[in-house]
PDB file of all heavy atoms in Angstrom:
ATOM      1  N   PRO A 923      -6.298   5.758  -9.759  1.00 97.00           N
ATOM      2  CA  PRO A 923      -4.890   5.419  -9.563  1.00 97.00           C
ATOM      3  C   PRO A 923      -4.715   4.057  -8.903  1.00 97.00           C
ATOM      4  O   PRO A 923      -5.507   3.677  -8.039  1.00 97.00           O
ATOM      5  CB  PRO A 923      -4.398   6.523  -8.623  1.00 97.00           C
ATOM      6  CG  PRO A 923      -5.612   6.888  -7.818  1.00 97.00           C
ATOM      7  CD  PRO A 923      -6.765   6.749  -8.759  1.00 97.00           C
ATOM      8  N   THR A 924      -3.698   3.328  -9.334  1.00 97.00           N
ATOM      9  CA  THR A 924      -3.287   2.086  -8.700  1.00 97.00           C
ATOM     10  C   THR A 924      -1.835   2.236  -8.252  1.00 97.00           C
ATOM     11  O   THR A 924      -1.000   2.724  -9.022  1.00 97.00           O
ATOM     12  CB  THR A 924      -3.418   0.900  -9.673  1.00 97.00           C
ATOM     13  OG1 THR A 924      -4.811   0.625  -9.895  1.00 97.00           O
ATOM     14  CG2 THR A 924      -2.764  -0.356  -9.105  1.00 97.00           C
ATOM     15  N   LEU A 925      -1.557   1.836  -7.025  1.00 98.00           N
ATOM     16  CA  LEU A 925      -0.219   1.942  -6.453  1.00 98.00           C
ATOM     17  C   LEU A 925       0.331   0.538  -6.227  1.00 98.00           C
ATOM     18  O   LEU A 925      -0.308  -0.276  -5.554  1.00 98.00           O
ATOM     19  CB  LEU A 925      -0.265   2.707  -5.134  1.00 98.00           C
ATOM     20  CG  LEU A 925      -0.876   4.110  -5.209  1.00 98.00           C
ATOM     21  CD1 LEU A 925      -1.064   4.683  -3.809  1.00 98.00           C
ATOM     22  CD2 LEU A 925      -0.015   5.037  -6.053  1.00 98.00           C
ATOM     23  N   ILE A 926       1.502   0.255  -6.783  1.00 97.00           N
ATOM     24  CA  ILE A 926       2.130  -1.053  -6.645  1.00 97.00           C
ATOM     25  C   ILE A 926       3.439  -0.888  -5.892  1.00 97.00           C
ATOM     26  O   ILE A 926       4.303  -0.112  -6.297  1.00 97.00           O
ATOM     27  CB  ILE A 926       2.364  -1.703  -8.025  1.00 97.00           C
ATOM     28  CG1 ILE A 926       1.011  -1.949  -8.709  1.00 97.00           C
ATOM     29  CG2 ILE A 926       3.156  -2.995  -7.890  1.00 97.00           C
ATOM     30  CD1 ILE A 926       1.119  -2.581 -10.073  1.00 97.00           C
ATOM     31  N   ILE A 927       3.560  -1.607  -4.784  1.00 95.00           N
ATOM     32  CA  ILE A 927       4.712  -1.478  -3.904  1.00 95.00           C
ATOM     33  C   ILE A 927       5.630  -2.664  -4.094  1.00 95.00           C
ATOM     34  O   ILE A 927       5.266  -3.813  -3.806  1.00 95.00           O
ATOM     35  CB  ILE A 927       4.280  -1.375  -2.428  1.00 95.00           C
ATOM     36  CG1 ILE A 927       3.469  -0.095  -2.194  1.00 95.00           C
ATOM     37  CG2 ILE A 927       5.499  -1.368  -1.496  1.00 95.00           C
ATOM     38  CD1 ILE A 927       2.009  -0.206  -2.522  1.00 95.00           C
ATOM     39  N   ASP A 928       6.823  -2.390  -4.634  1.00 93.00           N
ATOM     40  CA  ASP A 928       7.868  -3.384  -4.836  1.00 93.00           C
ATOM     41  C   ASP A 928       7.422  -4.577  -5.676  1.00 93.00           C
ATOM     42  O   ASP A 928       7.933  -5.687  -5.523  1.00 93.00           O
ATOM     43  CB  ASP A 928       8.401  -3.867  -3.480  1.00 93.00           C
ATOM     44  CG  ASP A 928       9.922  -3.877  -3.453  1.00 93.00           C
ATOM     45  OD1 ASP A 928      10.535  -3.123  -4.235  1.00 93.00           O
ATOM     46  OD2 ASP A 928      10.504  -4.626  -2.660  1.00 93.00           O
ATOM     47  N   ARG A 929       6.458  -4.354  -6.538  1.00 92.00           N
ATOM     48  CA  ARG A 929       5.931  -5.402  -7.422  1.00 92.00           C
ATOM     49  C   ARG A 929       5.390  -6.588  -6.620  1.00 92.00           C
ATOM     50  O   ARG A 929       5.251  -7.690  -7.144  1.00 92.00           O
ATOM     51  CB  ARG A 929       6.984  -5.858  -8.437  1.00 92.00           C
ATOM     52  CG  ARG A 929       7.603  -4.685  -9.184  1.00 92.00           C
ATOM     53  CD  ARG A 929       8.395  -5.090 -10.394  1.00 92.00           C
ATOM     54  NE  ARG A 929       8.872  -3.878 -11.073  1.00 92.00           N
ATOM     55  CZ  ARG A 929       9.152  -3.810 -12.365  1.00 92.00           C
ATOM     56  NH1 ARG A 929       9.012  -4.864 -13.124  1.00 92.00           N
ATOM     57  NH2 ARG A 929       9.576  -2.689 -12.892  1.00 92.00           N
ATOM     58  N   ARG A 930       5.056  -6.333  -5.362  1.00 92.00           N
ATOM     59  CA  ARG A 930       4.601  -7.390  -4.467  1.00 92.00           C
ATOM     60  C   ARG A 930       3.194  -7.133  -3.933  1.00 92.00           C
ATOM     61  O   ARG A 930       2.404  -8.052  -3.753  1.00 92.00           O
ATOM     62  CB  ARG A 930       5.579  -7.518  -3.286  1.00 92.00           C
ATOM     63  CG  ARG A 930       5.386  -8.737  -2.401  1.00 92.00           C
ATOM     64  CD  ARG A 930       5.735 -10.006  -3.139  1.00 92.00           C
ATOM     65  NE  ARG A 930       5.585 -11.193  -2.345  1.00 92.00           N
ATOM     66  CZ  ARG A 930       6.565 -12.038  -2.069  1.00 92.00           C
ATOM     67  NH1 ARG A 930       7.779 -11.799  -2.516  1.00 92.00           N
ATOM     68  NH2 ARG A 930       6.344 -13.120  -1.359  1.00 92.00           N
ATOM     69  N   TYR A 931       2.886  -5.866  -3.683  1.00 96.00           N
ATOM     70  CA  TYR A 931       1.591  -5.487  -3.130  1.00 96.00           C
ATOM     71  C   TYR A 931       0.977  -4.375  -3.987  1.00 96.00           C
ATOM     72  O   TYR A 931       1.703  -3.587  -4.591  1.00 96.00           O
ATOM     73  CB  TYR A 931       1.741  -4.967  -1.693  1.00 96.00           C
ATOM     74  CG  TYR A 931       2.482  -5.900  -0.783  1.00 96.00           C
ATOM     75  CD1 TYR A 931       3.834  -5.698  -0.510  1.00 96.00           C
ATOM     76  CD2 TYR A 931       1.849  -6.989  -0.189  1.00 96.00           C
ATOM     77  CE1 TYR A 931       4.533  -6.556   0.319  1.00 96.00           C
ATOM     78  CE2 TYR A 931       2.537  -7.851   0.642  1.00 96.00           C
ATOM     79  CZ  TYR A 931       3.878  -7.639   0.890  1.00 96.00           C
ATOM     80  OH  TYR A 931       4.577  -8.494   1.713  1.00 96.00           O
ATOM     81  N   TRP A 932      -0.356  -4.322  -4.000  1.00 96.00           N
ATOM     82  CA  TRP A 932      -0.992  -3.214  -4.706  1.00 96.00           C
ATOM     83  C   TRP A 932      -2.240  -2.755  -3.972  1.00 96.00           C
ATOM     84  O   TRP A 932      -2.878  -3.509  -3.250  1.00 96.00           O
ATOM     85  CB  TRP A 932      -1.329  -3.584  -6.154  1.00 96.00           C
ATOM     86  CG  TRP A 932      -2.440  -4.571  -6.351  1.00 96.00           C
ATOM     87  CD1 TRP A 932      -2.332  -5.936  -6.394  1.00 96.00           C
ATOM     88  CD2 TRP A 932      -3.827  -4.277  -6.554  1.00 96.00           C
ATOM     89  NE1 TRP A 932      -3.557  -6.506  -6.615  1.00 96.00           N
ATOM     90  CE2 TRP A 932      -4.499  -5.510  -6.716  1.00 96.00           C
ATOM     91  CE3 TRP A 932      -4.570  -3.093  -6.616  1.00 96.00           C
ATOM     92  CZ2 TRP A 932      -5.874  -5.603  -6.940  1.00 96.00           C
ATOM     93  CZ3 TRP A 932      -5.942  -3.169  -6.843  1.00 96.00           C
ATOM     94  CH2 TRP A 932      -6.573  -4.411  -6.999  1.00 96.00           C
ATOM     95  N   THR A 933      -2.521  -1.475  -4.156  1.00 97.00           N
ATOM     96  CA  THR A 933      -3.734  -0.891  -3.602  1.00 97.00           C
ATOM     97  C   THR A 933      -4.225   0.172  -4.570  1.00 97.00           C
ATOM     98  O   THR A 933      -3.559   0.497  -5.557  1.00 97.00           O
ATOM     99  CB  THR A 933      -3.487  -0.314  -2.192  1.00 97.00           C
ATOM    100  OG1 THR A 933      -4.737   0.070  -1.610  1.00 97.00           O
ATOM    101  CG2 THR A 933      -2.553   0.888  -2.243  1.00 97.00           C
ATOM    102  N   SER A 934      -5.387   0.706  -4.292  1.00 95.00           N
ATOM    103  CA  SER A 934      -5.974   1.719  -5.169  1.00 95.00           C
ATOM    104  C   SER A 934      -6.797   2.684  -4.337  1.00 95.00           C
ATOM    105  O   SER A 934      -7.079   2.436  -3.157  1.00 95.00           O
ATOM    106  CB  SER A 934      -6.869   1.048  -6.226  1.00 95.00           C
ATOM    107  OG  SER A 934      -8.004   0.464  -5.593  1.00 95.00           O
ATOM    108  N   ALA A 935      -7.195   3.781  -4.958  1.00 91.00           N
ATOM    109  CA  ALA A 935      -8.024   4.750  -4.247  1.00 91.00           C
ATOM    110  C   ALA A 935      -9.328   4.114  -3.791  1.00 91.00           C
ATOM    111  O   ALA A 935      -9.827   4.396  -2.701  1.00 91.00           O
ATOM    112  CB  ALA A 935      -8.303   5.951  -5.147  1.00 91.00           C
ATOM    113  N   GLY A 936      -9.868   3.229  -4.622  1.00 91.00           N
ATOM    114  CA  GLY A 936     -11.112   2.559  -4.258  1.00 91.00           C
ATOM    115  C   GLY A 936     -10.964   1.649  -3.054  1.00 91.00           C
ATOM    116  O   GLY A 936     -11.900   1.488  -2.264  1.00 91.00           O
ATOM    117  N   MET A 937      -9.792   1.043  -2.884  1.00 94.00           N
ATOM    118  CA  MET A 937      -9.559   0.156  -1.744  1.00 94.00           C
ATOM    119  C   MET A 937      -9.254   0.961  -0.482  1.00 94.00           C
ATOM    120  O   MET A 937      -9.758   0.651   0.594  1.00 94.00           O
ATOM    121  CB  MET A 937      -8.417  -0.812  -2.058  1.00 94.00           C
ATOM    122  CG  MET A 937      -8.701  -1.730  -3.216  1.00 94.00           C
ATOM    123  SD  MET A 937      -7.340  -2.874  -3.559  1.00 94.00           S
ATOM    124  CE  MET A 937      -7.616  -4.097  -2.271  1.00 94.00           C
ATOM    125  N   ILE A 938      -8.437   1.995  -0.618  1.00 91.00           N
ATOM    126  CA  ILE A 938      -8.089   2.808   0.547  1.00 91.00           C
ATOM    127  C   ILE A 938      -9.294   3.607   1.027  1.00 91.00           C
ATOM    128  O   ILE A 938      -9.522   3.761   2.220  1.00 91.00           O
ATOM    129  CB  ILE A 938      -6.916   3.750   0.199  1.00 91.00           C
ATOM    130  CG1 ILE A 938      -5.657   2.930  -0.099  1.00 91.00           C
ATOM    131  CG2 ILE A 938      -6.643   4.718   1.344  1.00 91.00           C
ATOM    132  CD1 ILE A 938      -4.500   3.759  -0.617  1.00 91.00           C
ATOM    133  N   GLN A 939     -10.072   4.114   0.053  1.00 85.00           N
ATOM    134  CA  GLN A 939     -11.343   4.801   0.275  1.00 85.00           C
ATOM    135  C   GLN A 939     -11.231   6.178   0.907  1.00 85.00           C
ATOM    136  O   GLN A 939     -12.050   7.040   0.644  1.00 85.00           O
ATOM    137  CB  GLN A 939     -12.304   3.924   1.089  1.00 85.00           C
ATOM    138  CG  GLN A 939     -12.694   2.642   0.374  1.00 85.00           C
ATOM    139  CD  GLN A 939     -13.755   1.865   1.110  1.00 85.00           C
ATOM    140  OE1 GLN A 939     -13.799   1.858   2.325  1.00 85.00           O
ATOM    141  NE2 GLN A 939     -14.614   1.201   0.366  1.00 85.00           N
ATOM    142  N   SER A 940     -10.256   6.435   1.740  1.00 86.00           N
ATOM    143  CA  SER A 940     -10.082   7.745   2.341  1.00 86.00           C
ATOM    144  C   SER A 940      -8.654   8.218   2.158  1.00 86.00           C
ATOM    145  O   SER A 940      -7.709   7.477   2.431  1.00 86.00           O
ATOM    146  CB  SER A 940     -10.408   7.706   3.842  1.00 86.00           C
ATOM    147  OG  SER A 940      -9.975   8.893   4.481  1.00 86.00           O
ATOM    148  N   ARG A 941      -8.479   9.449   1.707  1.00 87.00           N
ATOM    149  CA  ARG A 941      -7.136  10.002   1.562  1.00 87.00           C
ATOM    150  C   ARG A 941      -6.433  10.079   2.911  1.00 87.00           C
ATOM    151  O   ARG A 941      -5.201  10.050   2.970  1.00 87.00           O
ATOM    152  CB  ARG A 941      -7.226  11.384   0.912  1.00 87.00           C
ATOM    153  CG  ARG A 941      -7.616  11.316  -0.564  1.00 87.00           C
ATOM    154  CD  ARG A 941      -8.018  12.659  -1.120  1.00 87.00           C
ATOM    155  NE  ARG A 941      -6.929  13.614  -1.095  1.00 87.00           N
ATOM    156  CZ  ARG A 941      -7.065  14.885  -1.485  1.00 87.00           C
ATOM    157  NH1 ARG A 941      -8.236  15.325  -1.883  1.00 87.00           N
ATOM    158  NH2 ARG A 941      -6.019  15.692  -1.439  1.00 87.00           N
ATOM    159  N   ASP A 942      -7.204  10.143   3.990  1.00 90.00           N
ATOM    160  CA  ASP A 942      -6.607  10.166   5.331  1.00 90.00           C
ATOM    161  C   ASP A 942      -5.876   8.868   5.646  1.00 90.00           C
ATOM    162  O   ASP A 942      -4.994   8.845   6.511  1.00 90.00           O
ATOM    163  CB  ASP A 942      -7.694  10.395   6.393  1.00 90.00           C
ATOM    164  CG  ASP A 942      -8.285  11.792   6.327  1.00 90.00           C
ATOM    165  OD1 ASP A 942      -7.604  12.691   5.796  1.00 90.00           O
ATOM    166  OD2 ASP A 942      -9.417  11.979   6.792  1.00 90.00           O
ATOM    167  N   ARG A 943      -6.241   7.790   4.965  1.00 93.00           N
ATOM    168  CA  ARG A 943      -5.644   6.484   5.246  1.00 93.00           C
ATOM    169  C   ARG A 943      -4.489   6.144   4.310  1.00 93.00           C
ATOM    170  O   ARG A 943      -3.828   5.131   4.488  1.00 93.00           O
ATOM    171  CB  ARG A 943      -6.713   5.386   5.154  1.00 93.00           C
ATOM    172  CG  ARG A 943      -7.858   5.560   6.129  1.00 93.00           C
ATOM    173  CD  ARG A 943      -8.834   4.388   6.067  1.00 93.00           C
ATOM    174  NE  ARG A 943      -8.236   3.174   6.564  1.00 93.00           N
ATOM    175  CZ  ARG A 943      -8.054   2.060   5.849  1.00 93.00           C
ATOM    176  NH1 ARG A 943      -8.403   2.038   4.583  1.00 93.00           N
ATOM    177  NH2 ARG A 943      -7.511   1.005   6.389  1.00 93.00           N
ATOM    178  N   LEU A 944      -4.259   6.975   3.306  1.00 96.00           N
ATOM    179  CA  LEU A 944      -3.241   6.660   2.300  1.00 96.00           C
ATOM    180  C   LEU A 944      -1.876   6.429   2.926  1.00 96.00           C
ATOM    181  O   LEU A 944      -1.220   5.413   2.666  1.00 96.00           O
ATOM    182  CB  LEU A 944      -3.154   7.785   1.270  1.00 96.00           C
ATOM    183  CG  LEU A 944      -2.036   7.642   0.230  1.00 96.00           C
ATOM    184  CD1 LEU A 944      -2.292   6.458  -0.689  1.00 96.00           C
ATOM    185  CD2 LEU A 944      -1.900   8.928  -0.590  1.00 96.00           C
ATOM    186  N   ALA A 945      -1.411   7.366   3.759  1.00 96.00           N
ATOM    187  CA  ALA A 945      -0.067   7.270   4.329  1.00 96.00           C
ATOM    188  C   ALA A 945       0.081   6.028   5.192  1.00 96.00           C
ATOM    189  O   ALA A 945       1.104   5.335   5.125  1.00 96.00           O
ATOM    190  CB  ALA A 945       0.249   8.526   5.148  1.00 96.00           C
ATOM    191  N   SER A 946      -0.942   5.710   6.002  1.00 95.00           N
ATOM    192  CA  SER A 946      -0.831   4.550   6.885  1.00 95.00           C
ATOM    193  C   SER A 946      -0.804   3.252   6.086  1.00 95.00           C
ATOM    194  O   SER A 946      -0.073   2.314   6.441  1.00 95.00           O
ATOM    195  CB  SER A 946      -1.973   4.532   7.906  1.00 95.00           C
ATOM    196  OG  SER A 946      -3.230   4.427   7.266  1.00 95.00           O
ATOM    197  N   VAL A 947      -1.573   3.177   4.995  1.00 97.00           N
ATOM    198  CA  VAL A 947      -1.560   1.972   4.151  1.00 97.00           C
ATOM    199  C   VAL A 947      -0.203   1.838   3.465  1.00 97.00           C
ATOM    200  O   VAL A 947       0.392   0.750   3.447  1.00 97.00           O
ATOM    201  CB  VAL A 947      -2.703   2.014   3.109  1.00 97.00           C
ATOM    202  CG1 VAL A 947      -2.544   0.872   2.098  1.00 97.00           C
ATOM    203  CG2 VAL A 947      -4.060   1.922   3.797  1.00 97.00           C
ATOM    204  N   LEU A 948       0.329   2.931   2.919  1.00 97.00           N
ATOM    205  CA  LEU A 948       1.636   2.878   2.265  1.00 97.00           C
ATOM    206  C   LEU A 948       2.745   2.564   3.257  1.00 97.00           C
ATOM    207  O   LEU A 948       3.675   1.813   2.938  1.00 97.00           O
ATOM    208  CB  LEU A 948       1.920   4.189   1.541  1.00 97.00           C
ATOM    209  CG  LEU A 948       1.080   4.465   0.291  1.00 97.00           C
ATOM    210  CD1 LEU A 948       1.455   5.805  -0.314  1.00 97.00           C
ATOM    211  CD2 LEU A 948       1.217   3.358  -0.747  1.00 97.00           C
ATOM    212  N   ASP A 949       2.658   3.125   4.462  1.00 97.00           N
ATOM    213  CA  ASP A 949       3.649   2.813   5.505  1.00 97.00           C
ATOM    214  C   ASP A 949       3.652   1.313   5.803  1.00 97.00           C
ATOM    215  O   ASP A 949       4.724   0.685   5.928  1.00 97.00           O
ATOM    216  CB  ASP A 949       3.341   3.580   6.790  1.00 97.00           C
ATOM    217  CG  ASP A 949       3.770   5.029   6.734  1.00 97.00           C
ATOM    218  OD1 ASP A 949       4.571   5.386   5.855  1.00 97.00           O
ATOM    219  OD2 ASP A 949       3.284   5.822   7.581  1.00 97.00           O
ATOM    220  N   TYR A 950       2.479   0.757   5.918  1.00 97.00           N
ATOM    221  CA  TYR A 950       2.362  -0.677   6.246  1.00 97.00           C
ATOM    222  C   TYR A 950       2.934  -1.532   5.116  1.00 97.00           C
ATOM    223  O   TYR A 950       3.688  -2.485   5.371  1.00 97.00           O
ATOM    224  CB  TYR A 950       0.897  -1.026   6.487  1.00 97.00           C
ATOM    225  CG  TYR A 950       0.671  -2.486   6.778  1.00 97.00           C
ATOM    226  CD1 TYR A 950       0.920  -3.018   8.049  1.00 97.00           C
ATOM    227  CD2 TYR A 950       0.201  -3.357   5.795  1.00 97.00           C
ATOM    228  CE1 TYR A 950       0.717  -4.358   8.316  1.00 97.00           C
ATOM    229  CE2 TYR A 950       0.002  -4.694   6.049  1.00 97.00           C
ATOM    230  CZ  TYR A 950       0.261  -5.196   7.313  1.00 97.00           C
ATOM    231  OH  TYR A 950       0.066  -6.536   7.574  1.00 97.00           O
ATOM    232  N   LEU A 951       2.595  -1.195   3.879  1.00 96.00           N
ATOM    233  CA  LEU A 951       3.078  -1.991   2.748  1.00 96.00           C
ATOM    234  C   LEU A 951       4.579  -1.809   2.542  1.00 96.00           C
ATOM    235  O   LEU A 951       5.264  -2.761   2.151  1.00 96.00           O
ATOM    236  CB  LEU A 951       2.304  -1.617   1.480  1.00 96.00           C
ATOM    237  CG  LEU A 951       0.806  -1.946   1.522  1.00 96.00           C
ATOM    238  CD1 LEU A 951       0.126  -1.522   0.234  1.00 96.00           C
ATOM    239  CD2 LEU A 951       0.573  -3.437   1.789  1.00 96.00           C
ATOM    240  N   LEU A 952       5.092  -0.630   2.831  1.00 95.00           N
ATOM    241  CA  LEU A 952       6.547  -0.425   2.788  1.00 95.00           C
ATOM    242  C   LEU A 952       7.235  -1.293   3.831  1.00 95.00           C
ATOM    243  O   LEU A 952       8.262  -1.929   3.548  1.00 95.00           O
ATOM    244  CB  LEU A 952       6.875   1.048   3.036  1.00 95.00           C
ATOM    245  CG  LEU A 952       8.361   1.408   3.186  1.00 95.00           C
ATOM    246  CD1 LEU A 952       9.145   1.038   1.936  1.00 95.00           C
ATOM    247  CD2 LEU A 952       8.518   2.891   3.502  1.00 95.00           C
ATOM    248  N   GLU A 953       6.661  -1.356   5.023  1.00 94.00           N
ATOM    249  CA  GLU A 953       7.227  -2.204   6.077  1.00 94.00           C
ATOM    250  C   GLU A 953       7.199  -3.673   5.666  1.00 94.00           C
ATOM    251  O   GLU A 953       8.189  -4.392   5.846  1.00 94.00           O
ATOM    252  CB  GLU A 953       6.425  -2.013   7.368  1.00 94.00           C
ATOM    253  CG  GLU A 953       6.916  -2.878   8.519  1.00 94.00           C
ATOM    254  CD  GLU A 953       6.053  -2.742   9.758  1.00 94.00           C
ATOM    255  OE1 GLU A 953       4.968  -2.137   9.674  1.00 94.00           O
ATOM    256  OE2 GLU A 953       6.460  -3.266  10.810  1.00 94.00           O
ATOM    257  N   GLN A 954       6.083  -4.118   5.076  1.00 93.00           N
ATOM    258  CA  GLN A 954       5.977  -5.515   4.648  1.00 93.00           C
ATOM    259  C   GLN A 954       6.973  -5.820   3.526  1.00 93.00           C
ATOM    260  O   GLN A 954       7.603  -6.882   3.517  1.00 93.00           O
ATOM    261  CB  GLN A 954       4.547  -5.812   4.178  1.00 93.00           C
ATOM    262  CG  GLN A 954       3.491  -5.701   5.265  1.00 93.00           C
ATOM    263  CD  GLN A 954       3.788  -6.600   6.442  1.00 93.00           C
ATOM    264  OE1 GLN A 954       3.951  -7.811   6.295  1.00 93.00           O
ATOM    265  NE2 GLN A 954       3.861  -6.007   7.624  1.00 93.00           N
ATOM    266  N   ALA A 955       7.124  -4.888   2.598  1.00 91.00           N
ATOM    267  CA  ALA A 955       8.077  -5.084   1.498  1.00 91.00           C
ATOM    268  C   ALA A 955       9.504  -5.154   2.021  1.00 91.00           C
ATOM    269  O   ALA A 955      10.308  -5.976   1.569  1.00 91.00           O
ATOM    270  CB  ALA A 955       7.934  -3.957   0.479  1.00 91.00           C
ATOM    271  N   SER A 956       9.819  -4.302   2.997  1.00 89.00           N
ATOM    272  CA  SER A 956      11.171  -4.296   3.572  1.00 89.00           C
ATOM    273  C   SER A 956      11.447  -5.586   4.330  1.00 89.00           C
ATOM    274  O   SER A 956      12.548  -6.155   4.224  1.00 89.00           O
ATOM    275  CB  SER A 956      11.332  -3.094   4.509  1.00 89.00           C
ATOM    276  OG  SER A 956      11.165  -1.878   3.801  1.00 89.00           O
ATOM    277  N   LEU A 957      10.461  -6.071   5.079  1.00 87.00           N
ATOM    278  CA  LEU A 957      10.616  -7.338   5.793  1.00 87.00           C
ATOM    279  C   LEU A 957      10.810  -8.483   4.814  1.00 87.00           C
ATOM    280  O   LEU A 957      11.629  -9.380   5.042  1.00 87.00           O
ATOM    281  CB  LEU A 957       9.387  -7.595   6.679  1.00 87.00           C
ATOM    282  CG  LEU A 957       9.241  -6.713   7.918  1.00 87.00           C
ATOM    283  CD1 LEU A 957       7.873  -6.944   8.572  1.00 87.00           C
ATOM    284  CD2 LEU A 957      10.360  -7.013   8.915  1.00 87.00           C
ATOM    285  N   ASN A 958      10.063  -8.459   3.737  1.00 84.00           N
ATOM    286  CA  ASN A 958      10.178  -9.506   2.724  1.00 84.00           C
ATOM    287  C   ASN A 958      11.560  -9.503   2.084  1.00 84.00           C
ATOM    288  O   ASN A 958      12.158 -10.557   1.860  1.00 84.00           O
ATOM    289  CB  ASN A 958       9.100  -9.319   1.656  1.00 84.00           C
ATOM    290  CG  ASN A 958       9.128 -10.410   0.606  1.00 84.00           C
ATOM    291  OD1 ASN A 958       8.875 -11.573   0.894  1.00 84.00           O
ATOM    292  ND2 ASN A 958       9.443 -10.035  -0.620  1.00 84.00           N
TER     293      ASN A 958
END
């Protein structure tokens, strides 16, 4: 899977590496997208 946030940022399962980190990575990218 590849996740693209606001057509500005992207991540993947291979980059996140742990399902435990998924929410924190998405939270961070959502914050960055909102600031942008």
Side-chain angles (χ1 to χ4, degrees):
T924 290
L925 304 171
I926 297 180
I927 296 84
D928 227 24
R929 308 193 177 206
R930 191 68 179 240
Y931 307 99
W932 70 271
T933 188
S934 67
M937 298 180 79
I938 295 173
Q939 297 187 326
S940 168
R941 289 167 63 183
D942 291 337
R943 300 184 68 241
L944 175 67
S946 62
V947 171
L948 290 179
D949 282 344
Y950 178 79
L951 296 179
L952 173 60
E953 179 184 10
Q954 296 303 304
S956 299
L957 288 171
N958 182 65

